[in-house]
Amino acid sequence: NSRLYYVNQGDYPDNTRSTYWVNKTGNDEINMANPDSLLWFIKTVQTNFPSDNLYLSLWDHNWGWHSGWFQKDETSKKDTMDYPSLYNSLSGDSSLSNIALVGYDACVASQIEVMHTWRPFTGSFVGSQDYVGYGGVNYDDVISTIRSNPSISPQHLSIAVGKSMLTDPTDKCASSFDMDNDFDNIVASVDKLSLLFIKYLDASNFRKQLIDIRQSA
């Protein structure tokens, strides 16, 4: 089932609470691998719960830019959301408001390819460069941070979200980023470096050296 709930303090995550919304098709099923489903969700929240800043938190399994792990649809068993499709869906809607913060409560999301996909749609990004334990983001800490400082900037909130992930001992590489010109410069530099890697990848011993460097890091 795919349902949207208005969560009150003290709610327990089961079906005993009242359903705020059943999806647009009139039943409980929706394709979670279709990027249009995510776009519809974002716009539904923006329309019904307007705010100065929107924090979009994505949960579930993830493997960076690889398709096949991110937002897999459990009904079809085969559909997965890839990042080019996600980008095309979001950029195809001119009415989409800027999302102040995108956060991944999922593994290895802080990859430059993932962040580059979200660059036109958000000002801040937070996630982990490594695996995320079952504890994930500590939302009690995040909500407490917002309550104690309702005017907190998205950038500072992203730091708070990242720190809350580190309360799980298996989370080691949480990081937050500003999606700004400095980030664009990093993308350009990584792009040039990648092209050099591709050019010399088959040169004598070069691939092994790259593997050794990665393992040591």
Side-chain angles (χ1 to χ4, degrees):
N1 295 327
S2 307
R3 299 183 181 184
L4 179 63
Y5 292 103
Y6 186 94
V7 180
N8 293 292
Q9 184 175 359
D11 277 355
Y12 191 80
D14 58 21
N15 288 329
T16 60
R17 72 179 80 166
S18 61
T19 304
Y20 170 71
W21 164 89
V22 178
N23 76 32
K24 56 186 175 181
T25 63
N27 57 55
D28 285 346
E29 176 51 26
I30 193 170
N31 190 337
M32 298 301 288
N34 188 337
D36 288 341
S37 298
L38 178 59
L39 175 63
W40 179 85
F41 168 74
I42 295 170
K43 294 184 66 176
T44 297
V45 172
Q46 288 177 332
T47 300
N48 291 278
F49 304 97
S51 61
D52 294 329
N53 294 293
L54 179 67
Y55 164 33
L56 174 65
S57 179
L58 297 165
W59 295 14
D60 208 349
H61 297 296
N62 186 49
W63 195 245
W65 55 268
H66 292 275
S67 62
W69 285 81
F70 174 56
Q71 294 299 96
K72 182 178 180 180
D73 186 70
E74 287 299 322
T75 301
S76 70
K77 300 295 184 182
K78 62 180 181 179
D79 292 338
T80 55
M81 188 188 304
D82 63 88
Y83 282 95
S85 297
L86 174 61
Y87 175 84
N88 290 335
S89 179
L90 296 177
S91 60
D93 195 308
S94 59
S95 65
L96 180 66
S97 301
N98 184 267
I99 304 165
L101 171 61
V102 170
Y104 274 70
D105 196 348
C107 296
V108 291
S110 287
Q111 296 183 358
I112 199 164
E113 296 89 350
V114 175
M115 291 184 283
H116 187 251
T117 301
W118 284 103
R119 168 68 172 100
F121 313 110
T122 186
S124 298
F125 184 97
V126 60
S128 176
Q129 299 176 37
D130 205 330
Y131 297 108
V132 172
Y134 287 110
V137 174
N138 187 327
Y139 291 95
D140 285 341
D141 286 354
V142 174
I143 292 173
S144 295
T145 298
I146 296 173
R147 283 179 171 167
S148 63
N149 183 12
S151 61
I152 187 172
S153 68
Q155 291 81 3
H156 284 94
L157 181 60
S158 71
I159 295 172
V161 172
K163 286 183 176 179
S164 82
M165 296 174 71
L166 299 177
T167 58
D168 187 316
T170 58
D171 294 332
K172 301 175 182 177
C173 295
S175 51
S176 69
F177 297 83
D178 291 337
M179 300 288 95
D180 54 16
N181 292 334
D182 287 337
F183 176 77
D184 293 338
N185 292 335
I186 293 174
V187 170
S189 297
V190 170
D191 192 46
K192 292 179 181 178
L193 180 63
S194 300
L195 290 173
L196 287 173
F197 281 172
I198 293 170
K199 181 178 179 179
Y200 294 106
L201 195 58
D202 294 324
S204 176
N205 207 35
F206 185 65
R207 186 188 297 267
K208 182 182 183 303
Q209 291 181 51
L210 286 180
I211 294 174
D212 289 344
I213 291 170
R214 182 183 185 279
Q215 295 297 334
S216 65

